Amino acid sequence: LRLLPRQRYLRAERAESSALERKRNVLCCLTTRIMKAEKRLHIDHLVFKVLDACQKGELGPGLQFLSFCCHSVDVLSCVLHLLSQGYLRRQEERPHVLEY
C-alpha cells in the first residue's frame, strides 16, 4: 500500500481562483467608485472608463501595486454582479443607462 503525494494542481487552482477573486473585487470597487462620481452613465461609457483606469493604473488608493489585464468581458461581468446585488440599477425607459 502506497500513499500518493499531494496533488499540486489543487494548490494551483486555489491560487488562481484567489487571484481571479481579487481581480473581480478590484474591478467591482473601481466600477462602484466611478458610478458614485458620475451618478448616471451609459454602460459603454462605464466600461470605457473602467478599462481606461485599469490601463493607466488608476485603481484607487492602495491598489497601484496591482497590475493585471482586464477586458470588457471582465468589466461587464462585474456590472452584472453589481446589478444583481442592487448597487446599480437600469432606467426602465433606457436600459442601457445605469444609475448608482
Side-chain angles (χ1 to χ4, degrees):
L1 188 61
R2 189 177 86 173
L3 294 176
L4 296 174
R6 275 186 118 185
Q7 296 175 344
R8 294 178 188 255
Y9 69 87
L10 291 177
R11 282 184 268 156
E13 283 180 0
R14 275 189 233 119
E16 186 177 307
S17 67
S18 176
L20 288 173
E21 185 69 27
R22 281 193 310 264
K23 178 180 178 179
R24 179 180 174 190
N25 287 340
V26 168
L27 287 175
C28 284
C29 289
L30 182 58
T31 302
T32 302
R33 193 179 70 194
I34 289 171
M35 286 303 295
K36 276 184 182 179
E38 298 289 334
K39 302 293 185 218
R40 181 179 299 152
L41 204 56
H42 190 282
I43 194 165
D44 292 341
H45 293 266
L46 176 61
V47 171
F48 173 77
K49 283 184 176 253
V50 172
L51 290 175
D52 191 45
C54 285
Q55 289 175 353
K56 290 180 179 176
E58 300 170 351
L59 300 175
L63 297 175
Q64 282 83 11
F65 66 92
L66 291 174
S67 63
F68 57 80
C69 180
C70 68
H71 301 284
S72 59
V73 174
D74 301 324
V75 178
L76 288 171
S77 172
C78 288
V79 167
L80 289 175
H81 176 72
L82 291 171
L83 279 167
S84 71
Q85 295 294 316
Y87 291 106
L88 300 177
R89 66 177 181 192
R90 293 178 177 209
Q91 291 182 347
E92 288 188 27
E93 63 277 356
R94 295 170 52 198
H96 51 277
V97 176
L98 301 173
E99 293 179 335
Y100 181 73

XYZ file of all heavy atoms in Angstrom:
818
model
N 0.850 -1.171 0.000
C 0.000 0.000 0.000
C 0.892 1.228 0.000
O 1.830 1.315 0.776
C -0.887 -0.039 1.235
C -1.968 1.014 1.292
C -2.938 0.896 0.139
C -2.728 0.875 2.605
N 0.595 2.182 -0.887
C 1.450 3.370 -1.007
C 0.574 4.609 -1.066
O -0.436 4.635 -1.775
C 2.272 3.245 -2.283
C 3.331 4.276 -2.426
C 4.109 4.010 -3.660
N 3.391 4.678 -4.775
C 3.847 4.769 -5.992
N 4.968 4.194 -6.315
N 3.174 5.389 -6.907
N 0.943 5.632 -0.337
C 0.210 6.889 -0.375
C 0.696 7.739 -1.537
O 1.899 7.841 -1.774
C 0.401 7.667 0.934
C -0.200 7.020 2.174
C 0.152 7.841 3.397
C -1.708 6.935 2.035
N -0.235 8.317 -2.223
C 0.131 9.199 -3.334
C 0.512 10.569 -2.799
O -0.057 11.036 -1.802
C -1.043 9.330 -4.306
C -1.455 8.054 -5.020
C -2.720 8.304 -5.830
C -0.339 7.575 -5.918
N 1.448 11.251 -3.440
C 1.797 12.602 -2.983
C 0.630 13.561 -3.229
O -0.247 13.304 -4.058
C 2.996 12.980 -3.844
C 2.918 12.095 -5.022
C 2.217 10.847 -4.592
N 0.621 14.643 -2.483
C -0.432 15.649 -2.658
C -0.438 16.147 -4.095
O 0.614 16.339 -4.693
C -0.182 16.842 -1.752
C -0.723 16.661 -0.386
C -0.557 17.933 0.375
N -1.863 18.432 0.746
C -2.067 19.559 1.339
N -1.073 20.342 1.634
N -3.282 19.935 1.663
N -1.591 16.347 -4.577
C -1.707 16.800 -5.959
C -1.422 18.293 -6.015
O -2.049 19.089 -5.321
C -3.096 16.480 -6.488
C -3.347 14.988 -6.538
C -4.765 14.675 -6.953
O -5.635 15.519 -6.923
N -4.991 13.440 -7.345
N -0.495 18.674 -6.852
C -0.071 20.072 -6.937
C -1.085 20.949 -7.659
O -1.183 22.115 -7.389
C 1.277 20.169 -7.635
C 2.376 19.532 -6.853
C 3.676 19.623 -7.608
N 4.688 18.848 -6.952
C 5.665 19.369 -6.249
N 5.749 20.658 -6.128
N 6.549 18.602 -5.670
N -1.837 20.373 -8.571
C -2.761 21.205 -9.339
C -3.869 21.779 -8.473
O -4.419 22.828 -8.777
C -3.338 20.442 -10.533
C -4.275 19.322 -10.180
C -5.626 19.557 -9.989
C -3.807 18.020 -10.052
C -6.500 18.529 -9.668
C -4.673 16.991 -9.735
C -6.010 17.246 -9.541
O -6.860 16.236 -9.223
N -4.206 21.125 -7.371
C -5.234 21.664 -6.483
C -4.779 22.984 -5.862
O -5.548 23.929 -5.748
C -5.595 20.656 -5.393
C -6.331 19.402 -5.867
C -6.554 18.455 -4.703
C -7.644 19.778 -6.508
N -3.502 23.035 -5.454
C -2.970 24.288 -4.903
C -2.912 25.366 -5.977
O -3.190 26.524 -5.713
C -1.592 24.062 -4.293
C -1.669 23.420 -2.924
C -0.323 23.289 -2.311
N 0.155 21.965 -2.681
C 1.417 21.593 -2.745
N 2.363 22.451 -2.453
N 1.762 20.392 -3.092
N -2.588 24.977 -7.180
C -2.533 25.946 -8.280
C -3.922 26.484 -8.584
O -4.093 27.678 -8.839
C -1.920 25.306 -9.518
N -4.928 25.620 -8.551
C -6.301 26.072 -8.794
C -6.762 27.027 -7.710
O -7.430 28.018 -7.987
C -7.246 24.872 -8.864
C -7.177 24.122 -10.166
C -8.126 22.935 -10.193
O -8.841 22.703 -9.198
O -8.130 22.233 -11.213
N -6.393 26.756 -6.452
C -6.775 27.655 -5.361
C -6.123 29.017 -5.529
O -6.757 30.048 -5.322
C -6.397 27.048 -4.012
C -7.444 26.117 -3.487
C -7.147 25.706 -2.054
N -7.180 24.257 -2.037
C -6.173 23.459 -1.712
N -5.034 23.961 -1.314
N -6.307 22.152 -1.764
N -4.848 29.034 -5.906
C -4.135 30.299 -6.097
C -4.724 31.073 -7.266
O -4.890 32.292 -7.195
C -2.656 30.031 -6.341
N -5.073 30.358 -8.332
C -5.668 31.008 -9.498
C -7.043 31.571 -9.167
O -7.371 32.692 -9.551
C -5.769 30.009 -10.640
C -6.240 30.619 -11.939
C -6.248 29.603 -13.059
O -5.213 28.958 -13.278
O -7.302 29.473 -13.711
N -7.843 30.817 -8.440
C -9.172 31.320 -8.081
C -9.066 32.495 -7.124
O -9.864 33.427 -7.186
C -10.031 30.212 -7.493
O -9.516 29.787 -6.256
N -8.085 32.497 -6.266
C -7.872 33.628 -5.357
C -7.485 34.881 -6.145
O -7.964 35.982 -5.845
C -6.779 33.282 -4.346
O -6.493 34.380 -3.533
N -6.639 34.718 -7.152
C -6.246 35.858 -7.986
C -7.442 36.394 -8.769
O -7.619 37.612 -8.898
C -5.128 35.451 -8.941
N -8.285 35.501 -9.277
C -9.477 35.939 -10.007
C -10.454 36.663 -9.083
O -11.083 37.646 -9.477
C -10.164 34.743 -10.672
C -9.442 34.145 -11.869
C -10.146 32.873 -12.333
C -9.365 35.147 -12.997
N -10.577 36.194 -7.862
C -11.469 36.840 -6.897
C -10.967 38.242 -6.549
O -11.754 39.186 -6.459
C -11.561 35.977 -5.632
C -12.537 36.489 -4.613
C -13.986 36.363 -5.052
O -14.297 35.484 -5.855
O -14.801 37.163 -4.582
N -9.652 38.385 -6.370
C -9.077 39.722 -6.105
C -9.312 40.650 -7.281
O -9.654 41.814 -7.101
C -7.590 39.604 -5.806
C -7.278 39.156 -4.403
C -5.823 39.367 -4.063
N -4.921 38.834 -5.068
C -4.353 37.641 -5.016
N -4.597 36.844 -4.008
N -3.546 37.230 -5.968
N -9.132 40.134 -8.491
C -9.346 40.940 -9.692
C -10.795 41.398 -9.778
O -11.080 42.570 -10.047
C -8.981 40.120 -10.932
C -9.194 40.831 -12.239
C -8.791 39.925 -13.389
C -9.024 40.565 -14.716
N -8.609 39.714 -15.829
N -11.714 40.493 -9.500
C -13.136 40.845 -9.542
C -13.459 41.894 -8.482
O -14.198 42.843 -8.743
C -13.976 39.595 -9.325
C -15.457 39.863 -9.319
C -16.214 38.592 -9.104
N -17.622 38.875 -8.950
C -18.501 37.993 -8.557
N -18.131 36.771 -8.290
N -19.752 38.322 -8.429
N -12.911 41.744 -7.291
C -13.151 42.715 -6.230
C -12.630 44.097 -6.600
O -13.295 45.106 -6.362
C -12.530 42.245 -4.913
C -13.285 41.117 -4.281
O -14.454 40.884 -4.585
N -12.617 40.379 -3.411
N -11.444 44.143 -7.185
C -10.858 45.429 -7.600
C -11.721 46.072 -8.676
O -12.016 47.275 -8.616
C -9.400 45.235 -8.090
C -8.890 46.481 -8.785
C -8.497 44.867 -6.926
N -12.150 45.292 -9.664
C -12.977 45.838 -10.735
C -14.338 46.302 -10.212
O -14.849 47.339 -10.640
C -13.161 44.812 -11.852
C -11.942 44.567 -12.729
C -12.214 43.448 -13.728
C -11.510 45.826 -13.433
N -14.922 45.563 -9.283
C -16.202 45.983 -8.702
C -16.048 47.273 -7.909
O -16.894 48.168 -7.988
C -16.786 44.877 -7.826
S -17.507 43.522 -8.767
N -14.975 47.383 -7.141
C -14.722 48.616 -6.380
C -14.492 49.800 -7.316
O -15.004 50.901 -7.073
C -13.519 48.438 -5.460
S -13.819 47.348 -4.077
N -13.729 49.585 -8.372
C -13.460 50.651 -9.339
C -14.741 51.069 -10.049
O -15.009 52.263 -10.214
C -12.415 50.175 -10.347
C -11.963 51.165 -11.404
C -11.384 52.416 -10.755
C -10.929 50.522 -12.304
N -15.551 50.114 -10.432
C -16.821 50.403 -11.094
C -17.736 51.196 -10.164
O -18.346 52.193 -10.574
C -17.514 49.093 -11.522
O -16.638 48.373 -12.389
C -18.813 49.360 -12.240
N -17.799 50.779 -8.912
C -18.629 51.481 -7.936
C -18.126 52.906 -7.716
O -18.921 53.850 -7.646
C -18.645 50.712 -6.600
O -19.128 49.394 -6.845
C -19.540 51.383 -5.583
N -16.816 53.066 -7.611
C -16.246 54.401 -7.413
C -16.564 55.334 -8.580
O -16.941 56.491 -8.388
C -14.728 54.300 -7.223
C -14.120 55.588 -6.699
C -12.659 55.458 -6.500
N -12.059 55.365 -7.817
C -10.833 54.981 -8.064
N -10.061 54.605 -7.104
N -10.369 54.955 -9.284
N -16.475 54.817 -9.801
C -16.785 55.627 -10.979
C -18.265 55.981 -10.998
O -18.644 57.121 -11.269
C -16.369 54.884 -12.272
C -14.836 54.842 -12.370
C -16.969 55.538 -13.505
C -14.303 53.961 -13.477
N -19.121 55.027 -10.671
C -20.560 55.299 -10.671
C -20.963 56.271 -9.557
O -21.875 57.066 -9.739
C -21.352 53.994 -10.545
C -21.366 53.171 -11.819
S -22.019 54.037 -13.266
C -23.714 54.293 -12.798
N -20.280 56.217 -8.421
C -20.558 57.177 -7.352
C -20.268 58.596 -7.829
O -21.007 59.521 -7.520
C -19.705 56.883 -6.123
C -20.262 55.844 -5.221
C -19.379 55.704 -3.989
C -19.889 54.632 -3.074
N -19.028 54.483 -1.883
N -19.195 58.742 -8.574
C -18.809 60.067 -9.069
C -19.733 60.550 -10.179
O -20.067 61.732 -10.249
C -17.358 60.040 -9.558
N -20.162 59.641 -11.042
C -20.957 60.016 -12.214
C -22.462 60.017 -11.964
O -23.197 60.709 -12.647
C -20.643 59.077 -13.387
C -19.213 59.127 -13.869
C -18.881 60.412 -14.593
O -19.788 61.046 -15.157
O -17.696 60.770 -14.603
N -22.927 59.198 -11.033
C -24.355 59.024 -10.694
C -25.155 58.310 -11.780
O -25.952 57.462 -11.502
C -25.053 60.360 -10.370
C -24.417 61.107 -9.246
C -24.586 60.391 -7.944
C -24.024 61.252 -6.818
N -23.358 60.501 -5.811
N -24.976 58.640 -13.039
C -25.709 58.034 -14.154
C -24.743 57.962 -15.342
O -24.091 58.943 -15.668
C -26.911 58.896 -14.498
C -27.742 58.357 -15.623
C -28.934 59.226 -15.919
N -29.791 59.291 -14.741
C -30.572 60.316 -14.450
N -30.609 61.359 -15.231
N -31.327 60.296 -13.375
N -24.709 56.803 -15.990
C -23.741 56.629 -17.065
C -24.225 55.550 -18.026
O -24.805 54.542 -17.607
C -22.397 56.218 -16.455
C -21.114 56.479 -17.209
C -20.968 57.944 -17.569
C -19.926 56.073 -16.369
N -23.972 55.774 -19.306
C -24.250 54.761 -20.332
C -23.296 53.594 -20.086
O -22.124 53.794 -19.736
C -24.027 55.365 -21.720
C -24.514 54.503 -22.835
N -23.803 53.407 -23.276
C -25.638 54.567 -23.592
C -24.463 52.837 -24.267
N -25.583 53.526 -24.473
N -23.773 52.385 -20.270
C -22.968 51.206 -19.955
C -21.675 51.160 -20.770
O -20.629 50.764 -20.266
C -23.794 49.910 -20.118
C -23.077 48.738 -19.462
C -24.129 49.640 -21.559
C -23.938 47.525 -19.258
N -21.707 51.600 -22.024
C -20.494 51.630 -22.849
C -19.468 52.608 -22.288
O -18.274 52.317 -22.278
C -20.830 52.013 -24.293
C -21.629 50.938 -25.010
O -21.617 49.779 -24.555
O -22.268 51.269 -26.033
N -19.930 53.761 -21.810
C -19.025 54.748 -21.226
C -18.424 54.229 -19.920
O -17.255 54.479 -19.624
C -19.752 56.076 -20.981
C -20.165 56.758 -22.236
N -19.406 57.718 -22.859
C -21.257 56.600 -23.009
C -20.020 58.132 -23.951
N -21.146 57.464 -24.071
N -19.224 53.509 -19.157
C -18.724 52.933 -17.909
C -17.624 51.917 -18.187
O -16.565 51.955 -17.554
C -19.864 52.275 -17.129
C -19.474 51.548 -15.848
C -18.835 52.500 -14.854
C -20.678 50.862 -15.248
N -17.852 51.042 -19.136
C -16.841 50.041 -19.492
C -15.570 50.739 -19.961
O -14.458 50.381 -19.545
C -17.374 49.071 -20.571
C -16.260 48.186 -21.107
C -18.506 48.233 -20.012
N -15.704 51.774 -20.796
C -14.542 52.506 -21.274
C -13.786 53.139 -20.118
O -12.554 53.069 -20.055
C -14.959 53.587 -22.281
C -13.828 54.478 -22.683
C -12.873 54.045 -23.582
C -13.698 55.743 -22.125
C -11.815 54.863 -23.943
C -12.650 56.569 -22.477
C -11.703 56.120 -23.380
N -14.491 53.765 -19.182
C -13.831 54.435 -18.056
C -13.093 53.435 -17.165
O -11.990 53.710 -16.703
C -14.847 55.224 -17.234
C -15.257 56.521 -17.880
C -16.190 57.287 -16.952
C -16.516 58.625 -17.556
N -15.848 59.712 -16.874
N -13.701 52.275 -16.931
C -13.049 51.263 -16.101
C -11.804 50.720 -16.802
O -10.738 50.598 -16.200
C -14.033 50.122 -15.744
C -13.308 48.972 -15.054
C -15.157 50.647 -14.869
N -11.926 50.409 -18.085
C -10.770 49.909 -18.838
C -9.660 50.952 -18.892
O -8.478 50.624 -18.744
C -11.186 49.499 -20.253
C -12.058 48.262 -20.367
C -12.494 48.051 -21.812
C -11.347 47.042 -19.837
N -10.031 52.211 -19.086
C -9.053 53.290 -19.138
C -8.332 53.431 -17.797
O -7.105 53.590 -17.757
C -9.750 54.600 -19.514
C -8.771 55.703 -19.845
O -7.805 55.438 -20.591
O -8.971 56.836 -19.344
N -9.072 53.361 -16.706
C -8.469 53.460 -15.377
C -7.521 52.287 -15.114
O -6.454 52.467 -14.520
C -9.546 53.519 -14.306
N -7.890 51.095 -15.585
C -7.010 49.931 -15.415
C -5.719 50.086 -16.208
O -4.638 49.775 -15.717
C -7.726 48.657 -15.851
S -8.954 48.075 -14.706
N -5.834 50.574 -17.433
C -4.648 50.740 -18.276
C -3.722 51.815 -17.736
O -2.506 51.701 -17.827
C -5.057 51.064 -19.708
C -5.660 49.891 -20.427
C -6.180 50.247 -21.816
O -6.209 51.409 -22.192
N -6.606 49.243 -22.550
N -4.301 52.874 -17.147
C -3.488 53.946 -16.586
C -2.978 53.625 -15.186
O -2.183 54.357 -14.642
C -4.302 55.238 -16.539
C -4.583 55.821 -17.899
C -5.383 57.091 -17.774
C -5.661 57.706 -19.143
N -6.515 58.895 -19.022
N -3.484 52.550 -14.596
C -3.069 52.179 -13.249
C -3.763 52.982 -12.167
O -3.282 53.072 -11.049
N -4.901 53.567 -12.479
C -5.657 54.375 -11.522
C -6.704 53.501 -10.831
O -7.891 53.703 -10.963
C -6.340 55.543 -12.238
C -5.388 56.463 -12.935
C -6.096 57.459 -13.841
O -7.317 57.330 -14.049
O -5.416 58.348 -14.353
N -6.227 52.566 -10.056
C -7.135 51.621 -9.429
C -7.629 52.088 -8.075
O -8.479 51.455 -7.478
C -6.460 50.258 -9.295
C -6.033 49.620 -10.613
C -5.278 48.342 -10.353
C -7.232 49.361 -11.494
N -7.104 53.153 -7.580
C -7.551 53.666 -6.293
C -6.447 53.617 -5.266
O -5.374 53.076 -5.502
N -6.709 54.184 -4.102
C -5.696 54.229 -3.059
C -5.311 52.834 -2.581
O -6.159 52.005 -2.298
C -6.373 55.034 -1.941
C -7.819 54.995 -2.234
C -7.969 54.781 -3.708
N -4.020 52.591 -2.530
C -3.522 51.308 -2.050
C -3.544 50.196 -3.077
O -3.123 49.091 -2.782
N -4.014 50.466 -4.278
C -4.112 49.400 -5.282
C -3.204 49.635 -6.484
O -3.284 48.915 -7.455
C -5.562 49.258 -5.756
C -6.575 48.844 -4.697
C -7.981 48.870 -5.278
C -6.263 47.483 -4.136
N -2.329 50.643 -6.411
C -1.463 50.921 -7.550
C -0.468 49.792 -7.808
O 0.000 49.622 -8.916
C -0.682 52.226 -7.343
C -1.491 53.468 -7.605
C -2.334 53.874 -6.420
O -2.188 53.351 -5.324
N -3.239 54.797 -6.622
N -0.154 49.011 -6.782
C 0.813 47.934 -6.952
C 0.248 46.775 -7.769
O 0.992 45.962 -8.268
C 1.281 47.417 -5.593
C 0.197 46.750 -4.804
C -0.003 45.384 -4.892
C -0.635 47.489 -3.976
C -1.010 44.770 -4.179
C -1.632 46.871 -3.257
C -1.817 45.516 -3.354
N -1.060 46.699 -7.888
C -1.659 45.623 -8.662
C -1.540 45.916 -10.141
O -1.838 47.010 -10.592
C -3.142 45.464 -8.308
C -3.463 44.931 -6.930
C -4.958 44.966 -6.696
C -2.934 43.536 -6.741
N -1.096 44.955 -10.867
C -1.081 45.116 -12.323
C -1.697 43.866 -12.925
O -1.232 42.759 -12.697
C 0.349 45.315 -12.834
O 1.113 44.179 -12.557
N -2.768 44.052 -13.614
C -3.407 42.935 -14.280
C -4.090 43.452 -15.522
O -4.347 44.634 -15.670
C -4.404 42.204 -13.373
C -5.487 43.079 -12.809
C -6.595 43.417 -13.565
C -5.390 43.563 -11.523
C -7.589 44.214 -13.054
C -6.391 44.362 -11.002
C -7.479 44.688 -11.761
N -4.344 42.530 -16.399
C -5.004 42.865 -17.652
C -6.497 42.656 -17.467
O -6.927 41.626 -16.957
C -4.463 41.946 -18.741
S -5.188 42.235 -20.331
N -7.274 43.661 -17.827
C -8.716 43.470 -17.748
C -9.321 43.737 -19.123
O -8.811 44.533 -19.901
C -9.347 44.341 -16.674
S -9.333 46.090 -16.974
N -10.387 43.056 -19.382
C -11.077 43.152 -20.667
C -12.513 43.600 -20.432
O -13.012 43.576 -19.305
C -11.055 41.805 -21.380
C -9.676 41.293 -21.628
N -8.868 41.779 -22.620
C -8.952 40.356 -20.981
C -7.710 41.155 -22.586
N -7.729 40.285 -21.601
N -13.175 43.961 -21.500
C -14.555 44.421 -21.387
C -15.460 43.329 -20.804
O -16.403 43.619 -20.078
C -15.081 44.891 -22.739
O -15.022 43.855 -23.691
N -15.148 42.073 -21.076
C -15.943 40.967 -20.532
C -15.841 40.943 -19.007
O -16.831 40.718 -18.311
C -15.482 39.619 -21.135
C -16.183 38.452 -20.485
C -15.692 39.601 -22.626
N -14.637 41.201 -18.481
C -14.447 41.247 -17.033
C -15.276 42.369 -16.415
O -15.919 42.188 -15.379
C -12.973 41.467 -16.684
C -12.069 40.385 -17.235
O -12.495 39.213 -17.267
O -10.934 40.719 -17.629
N -15.241 43.535 -17.064
C -15.977 44.689 -16.547
C -17.483 44.433 -16.621
O -18.221 44.702 -15.669
C -15.595 45.973 -17.308
C -16.405 47.160 -16.807
C -14.108 46.246 -17.180
N -17.960 43.894 -17.737
C -19.390 43.604 -17.873
C -19.846 42.563 -16.857
O -20.958 42.653 -16.327
C -19.701 43.143 -19.298
C -19.649 44.246 -20.353
C -19.750 43.648 -21.749
C -20.734 45.264 -20.128
N -19.003 41.605 -16.556
C -19.324 40.622 -15.525
C -19.496 41.306 -14.174
O -20.428 40.992 -13.419
C -18.221 39.568 -15.453
O -18.410 38.722 -14.354
N -18.617 42.251 -13.866
C -18.740 42.990 -12.607
C -19.983 43.874 -12.598
O -20.645 44.001 -11.568
C -17.485 43.831 -12.368
S -16.066 42.832 -11.935
N -20.300 44.471 -13.728
C -21.504 45.303 -13.816
C -22.739 44.437 -13.557
O -23.636 44.825 -12.800
C -21.601 46.005 -15.188
C -22.971 46.601 -15.406
C -20.527 47.083 -15.302
N -22.798 43.256 -14.161
C -23.928 42.354 -13.931
C -23.997 41.920 -12.467
O -25.084 41.814 -11.895
C -23.835 41.138 -14.845
C -24.096 41.404 -16.318
C -23.860 40.130 -17.135
C -25.515 41.908 -16.523
N -22.843 41.685 -11.870
C -22.813 41.320 -10.456
C -23.352 42.464 -9.595
O -24.164 42.239 -8.691
C -21.385 40.963 -10.038
C -21.229 40.676 -8.585
N -21.715 39.533 -8.009
C -20.671 41.394 -7.593
C -21.449 39.551 -6.714
N -20.817 40.676 -6.435
N -22.923 43.694 -9.884
C -23.388 44.855 -9.119
C -24.879 45.101 -9.345
O -25.584 45.523 -8.427
C -22.570 46.093 -9.481
C -21.105 46.060 -9.018
C -20.330 47.228 -9.610
C -21.012 46.061 -7.507
N -25.367 44.834 -10.550
C -26.806 44.947 -10.818
C -27.592 43.926 -9.991
O -28.629 44.247 -9.407
C -27.096 44.743 -12.304
C -26.869 45.932 -13.220
C -26.888 45.486 -14.680
C -27.901 47.010 -12.983
N -27.095 42.705 -9.943
C -27.802 41.665 -9.191
C -27.770 41.922 -7.695
O -28.687 41.532 -6.978
C -27.226 40.288 -9.504
O -25.940 40.147 -8.930
N -26.724 42.598 -7.214
C -26.608 42.915 -5.794
C -27.388 44.173 -5.403
O -27.520 44.480 -4.230
C -25.136 43.097 -5.406
C -24.307 41.844 -5.539
C -24.744 40.776 -4.562
O -24.985 41.040 -3.402
N -24.854 39.553 -5.049
N -27.844 44.932 -6.413
C -28.631 46.123 -6.133
C -27.826 47.399 -5.993
O -28.376 48.448 -5.657
N -26.526 47.346 -6.250
C -25.698 48.554 -6.171
C -25.941 49.475 -7.363
O -25.803 50.680 -7.251
C -24.213 48.200 -6.089
C -23.836 47.542 -4.796
C -23.554 46.182 -4.742
C -23.785 48.274 -3.611
C -23.211 45.566 -3.555
C -23.449 47.660 -2.414
C -23.163 46.316 -2.399
O -22.833 45.705 -1.223
N -26.250 48.883 -8.500
C -26.563 49.643 -9.709
C -27.973 49.269 -10.143
O -28.488 48.209 -9.800
C -25.586 49.301 -10.847
C -24.115 49.561 -10.610
C -23.322 49.085 -11.824
C -23.848 51.019 -10.338
N -28.579 50.155 -10.915
C -29.881 49.823 -11.492
C -29.976 50.431 -12.888
O -29.261 51.376 -13.218
C -31.015 50.297 -10.605
C -31.099 51.786 -10.491
C -32.269 52.195 -9.661
N -32.262 53.658 -9.636
C -32.979 54.366 -8.842
N -33.777 53.796 -7.985
N -32.926 55.666 -8.873
N -30.866 49.862 -13.669
C -31.107 50.354 -15.028
C -32.329 51.241 -15.032
O -33.278 51.007 -14.290
C -31.339 49.187 -15.976
C -30.135 48.342 -16.175
C -30.461 47.194 -17.087
N -29.260 46.436 -17.331
C -29.041 45.755 -18.425
N -29.948 45.720 -19.367
N -27.923 45.105 -18.587
N -32.306 52.219 -15.924
C -33.505 53.029 -16.110
C -34.498 52.209 -16.917
O -34.119 51.524 -17.869
C -33.170 54.319 -16.859
C -32.329 55.288 -16.076
C -32.077 56.568 -16.849
O -32.325 56.650 -18.039
N -31.580 57.560 -16.145
N -35.763 52.284 -16.546
C -36.768 51.468 -17.232
C -36.944 51.879 -18.688
O -37.059 51.031 -19.568
C -38.101 51.550 -16.496
C -38.082 50.792 -15.193
C -39.445 50.715 -14.570
O -40.458 50.760 -15.294
O -39.492 50.600 -13.335
N -36.965 53.170 -18.948
C -37.173 53.628 -20.323
C -35.893 53.569 -21.164
O -35.956 53.562 -22.380
C -37.774 55.040 -20.347
C -36.890 56.131 -19.749
C -36.989 56.215 -18.227
O -37.784 55.500 -17.618
O -36.221 57.009 -17.660
N -34.741 53.537 -20.502
C -33.451 53.453 -21.206
C -32.571 52.439 -20.482
O -31.736 52.809 -19.664
C -32.788 54.831 -21.223
C -33.580 55.836 -22.034
C -33.076 57.253 -21.866
N -31.655 57.382 -22.086
C -30.953 58.437 -21.668
N -31.534 59.418 -21.024
N -29.660 58.509 -21.895
N -32.714 51.149 -20.802
C -32.000 50.113 -20.042
C -30.484 50.124 -20.230
O -29.767 49.498 -19.457
C -32.608 48.801 -20.543
C -33.254 49.131 -21.835
C -33.609 50.594 -21.801
N -29.974 50.836 -21.228
C -28.526 50.909 -21.446
C -27.872 51.966 -20.566
O -26.652 52.093 -20.548
C -28.219 51.158 -22.920
C -28.958 52.308 -23.487
N -30.264 52.188 -23.936
C -28.617 53.601 -23.652
C -30.672 53.374 -24.367
N -29.716 54.243 -24.198
N -28.677 52.731 -19.821
C -28.156 53.738 -18.891
C -28.243 53.181 -17.487
O -29.289 52.712 -17.047
C -28.952 55.062 -19.011
C -28.470 56.069 -17.980
C -28.802 55.632 -20.419
N -27.106 53.231 -16.785
C -27.045 52.719 -15.421
C -27.054 53.868 -14.432
O -26.500 54.936 -14.702
C -25.770 51.892 -15.222
C -25.593 50.686 -16.133
C -24.231 50.081 -15.940
C -26.671 49.669 -15.867
N -27.645 53.633 -13.271
C -27.674 54.629 -12.195
C -27.081 54.009 -10.938
O -27.230 52.823 -10.689
C -29.104 55.070 -11.895
C -29.748 55.840 -13.011
C -31.185 56.226 -12.663
O -31.814 55.534 -11.838
O -31.661 57.211 -13.239
N -26.446 54.853 -10.146
C -25.924 54.390 -8.866
C -26.968 54.635 -7.796
O -27.599 55.652 -7.745
C -24.632 55.124 -8.508
C -24.039 54.675 -7.215
C -23.420 53.433 -7.135
C -24.135 55.442 -6.077
C -22.879 52.985 -5.943
C -23.597 55.000 -4.873
C -22.984 53.774 -4.816
O -22.470 53.323 -3.630
